[in-house]
Amino acid sequence: MLYDPLQDGVVKTSKKMQYFAAMVVCLGAVSAGTALAWTSPVLPQISEDPNANTTANNATADGSSSSQLQLTLSQQTWVSSLLAIGAFLGALPTGYIADYIGRRYTALVMDIPFIVAWTATIFANSATVLYFARFTIGLATGSFCVVAPMYISEIAESSIRGTLGTLFQLTLSIGILLVYIIGAMVTWTTLSVLCLLVPVALFIGMLFLPETPTYLLKKGRRGDAALSLKWLWGRYCDSRTAIQQIQSELDQAGGNASFSDVFRIRAARNGLIISMLLMFFQQFSGVNAVIFYTVPIFKSAGSTLDPSICSIIVGFVQVVMTFTSSLMIEKAGRKSLLIFSSTIMTICLAILGAYFDMKDDGKDVSSIGWLPLLCVVLYMITFSVGYGPIPWLMMGELFLPDVKATAVALTVMSNWFSVFLVTKTFGSMITAWGSDMTFWFFAFCMFVATMYVAFMVLETKGKSSSQIQSWLDNK
């Protein structure tokens, strides 16, 4: 049904299939979350240290011995870091692939490395096989960090663009939480089998989704674009007006852009700077440092909880608050949530630094053991409503279709480079600076983030693509 029932006065859109399509493509984010969190419950089970997890080391899902896979500390480091390297390398080509074969087919193709990697993990009997699996799963993770936000931003109506845009971080957090919960109860091979089910479901789901209307119009397939809109927005949507609006944005973009155009065109360059800085601030918020210190902070508050339970609590808080952000995003706006998020995180990180400063100086901090625990909870709440999901959302809003693939790929690469940088240097920072200075460093980064967003970033809530581009072009 290609016609619009304008003559009958029955013009309305349905958001149901937009939510469905976004949830299906975000199964890639769930897969990425499971891949990121997998090492947390698994490394103790396959560690060469006999005290790490004796029971888990001696049994696998079928009850057989897993002693053949015992990793040294150096091997564990590579298993942890290869995912970030693979994600960095997988991001850039994905943008070009998505422009060549489409967003939908790119998601299907890049889901295959997920399936291959988890299959290799299940049957891994050496560190080399695990290296291959972790690098391959990194390629898929980096790819979906590009193609999923791109797909969502091109299928969503402006009224729910923010809500759908936060789904990527929400489902990523759900994947992490699932691994924390399941990993505490089963052996690592069983966990890997269950993780494999997610990309299999993703592949099946993507077979039923349409290509984005924006991509189809870029290829001159106007009829297919209208059909895609009808599938996504409902049979009674005003597809004619929507097609004209998308086409005008494509005409404004002026066709396919080269790699250098991302830096040469002022609006694209400014959008790239904002996107990359938001990703930088996301990682230099110190979120990995806070998660790393969750267990000792819980203990300092007098808690006797198992470390796996602490991880589950943190993961649960992150999921709940990221979901809350998805409900608030179209009311509160992106800019206000980012400023709120970085301001509270600055305070929490500064207090944590002061706490560790007093503790390292030998002062009695037992009476305020609850304070760092409160800071951790507030920190995770505010990270999850602001700097967790919003950089991914705004990444899809700031670029015209001609440069979006390249710009989004470069942004994702900057994110994974920041992940690698923080992960690699965190241990050295703790050793050289101490815990207090490390947390104060991250607090300073968040203070800078607050100032930057307050004075340099536009509120994109409710703004059309043309309005955003005009602002980025300093008009």
Side-chain angles (χ1 to χ4, degrees):
M1 178 178 174
L2 285 175
Y3 70 88
D4 294 318
L6 300 175
Q7 67 274 17
D8 300 326
V10 186
V11 179
K12 59 181 180 180
T13 60
S14 171
K15 299 175 175 61
K16 178 175 63 175
M17 299 311 291
Q18 295 174 62
Y19 278 105
F20 173 75
M23 287 301 300
V24 169
V25 77
C26 277
L27 286 174
V30 177
S31 295
T34 59
L36 286 167
W38 182 83
T39 53
S40 181
V42 168
L43 286 184
Q45 298 184 36
I46 58 177
S47 170
E48 210 171 54
D49 181 4
N51 297 320
N53 197 321
T54 305
T55 302
N57 283 342
N58 292 333
T60 60
D62 59 5
S64 62
S65 171
S66 64
S67 58
Q68 59 183 343
L69 189 59
Q70 297 290 285
L71 304 185
T72 65
L73 183 60
S74 175
Q75 290 172 332
Q76 292 176 52
T77 303
W78 277 110
V79 168
S80 299
S81 61
L82 277 171
L83 183 144
I85 297 172
F88 177 84
L89 296 175
L92 184 59
T94 301
Y96 292 102
I97 296 171
D99 263 354
Y100 185 70
I101 66 173
R103 287 59 163 135
R104 174 176 173 266
Y105 282 115
T106 300
L108 281 166
V109 169
M110 298 314 298
D111 186 40
I112 295 174
F114 268 134
I115 297 173
V116 170
W118 282 122
T119 303
T121 301
I122 293 167
F123 296 102
N125 56 7
S126 68
T128 303
V129 176
L130 271 186
Y131 292 163
F132 164 78
R134 295 299 290 172
F135 179 78
T136 304
I137 213 166
L139 292 174
T141 297
S143 297
F144 268 90
C145 286
V146 174
V147 73
M150 189 185 300
Y151 184 92
I152 291 170
S153 68
E154 292 183 359
I155 67 167
E157 296 177 69
S158 58
S159 61
I160 60 170
R161 191 178 62 204
T163 301
L164 291 186
T166 60
L167 283 179
F168 184 83
Q169 180 68 24
L170 174 61
T171 48
L172 185 79
S173 301
I174 289 173
I176 292 172
L177 178 59
L178 287 174
V179 167
Y180 285 162
I181 295 173
I182 299 171
M185 298 184 291
V186 301
T187 57
W188 69 272
T189 48
T190 303
L191 175 64
S192 302
V193 170
L194 295 174
C195 289
L196 173 62
L197 298 179
V198 180
V200 170
L202 168 62
F203 191 90
I204 295 172
M206 288 303 302
L207 295 175
F208 296 94
L209 299 190
E211 183 54 79
T212 69
T214 299
Y215 175 79
L216 292 170
L217 276 177
K218 281 184 69 175
K219 297 300 181 182
R221 297 163 58 183
R222 193 178 183 91
D224 290 336
L227 284 173
S228 175
L229 269 174
K230 291 290 186 183
W231 194 96
L232 291 161
W233 292 18
R235 62 186 301 186
Y236 294 111
C237 74
D238 186 359
S239 63
R240 203 173 311 165
T241 301
I243 289 290
Q244 288 172 351
Q245 183 176 349
I246 297 171
Q247 187 64 59
S248 67
E249 293 174 1
L250 290 171
D251 293 340
Q252 179 185 352
N256 291 325
S258 65
F259 182 85
S260 61
D261 286 338
V262 177
F263 304 95
R264 185 181 58 80
I265 300 171
R266 178 186 290 178
R269 183 175 65 249
N270 288 339
L272 181 64
I273 291 170
I274 292 171
S275 292
M276 294 178 78
L277 280 175
L278 289 180
M279 290 299 187
F280 172 86
F281 290 133
Q282 182 193 70
Q283 294 305 319
F284 278 82
S285 66
V287 62
N288 291 319
V290 173
I291 292 175
F292 181 85
Y293 270 93
T294 297
V295 173
I297 287 174
F298 269 69
K299 288 181 179 178
S300 69
S303 172
T304 57
L305 289 175
D306 184 88
S308 61
I309 301 298
C310 296
S311 299
I312 291 171
I313 291 173
V314 171
F316 180 76
V317 169
Q318 196 166 0
V319 168
V320 170
M321 295 316 300
T322 305
F323 176 73
T324 303
S325 175
S326 69
L327 301 178
M328 296 169 55
I329 193 74
E330 294 298 352
K331 295 181 180 179
R334 288 77 155 140
K335 182 172 181 174
S336 56
L337 285 178
L338 284 173
I339 292 174
F340 168 76
S341 176
S342 56
T343 300
I344 301 301
M345 284 194 291
T346 300
I347 297 170
C348 291
L349 289 165
I351 293 175
L352 284 171
Y355 172 82
F356 280 104
D357 181 57
M358 290 188 292
K359 188 174 182 180
D360 293 342
D361 284 345
K363 296 178 181 178
D364 183 13
V365 293
S366 57
S367 61
I368 57 170
W370 55 270
L371 185 59
L373 180 58
L374 176 64
C375 287
V376 168
V377 174
L378 283 176
Y379 177 94
M380 292 309 302
I381 287 173
T382 51
F383 175 84
S384 299
V385 300
Y387 271 89
I390 293 178
W392 296 107
L393 160 64
M394 292 190 66
M395 179 181 70
E397 292 182 319
L398 293 175
F399 305 107
L400 285 174
D402 61 330
V403 299
K404 180 175 285 188
T406 302
V408 167
L410 289 172
T411 301
V412 172
M413 289 179 72
S414 72
N415 178 273
W416 283 105
F417 178 75
S418 296
V419 171
F420 180 77
L421 193 62
V422 172
T423 304
K424 200 69 176 174
T425 60
F426 176 66
S428 301
M429 290 167 66
I430 292 292
T431 303
W433 297 354
S435 303
D436 51 354
M437 289 298 296
T438 300
F439 279 106
W440 284 333
F441 168 75
F442 290 130
F444 175 74
C445 290
M446 285 296 92
F447 173 76
V448 174
T450 302
M451 295 298 102
Y452 176 75
V453 173
F455 295 105
M456 301 298 291
V457 176
L458 173 76
E459 174 57 70
T460 58
K461 181 190 76 171
K463 297 286 193 302
S464 68
S465 179
S466 298
Q467 290 173 316
I468 294 172
Q469 293 305 308
S470 294
W471 169 73
L472 290 171
D473 204 26
N474 294 330
K475 293 180 180 177

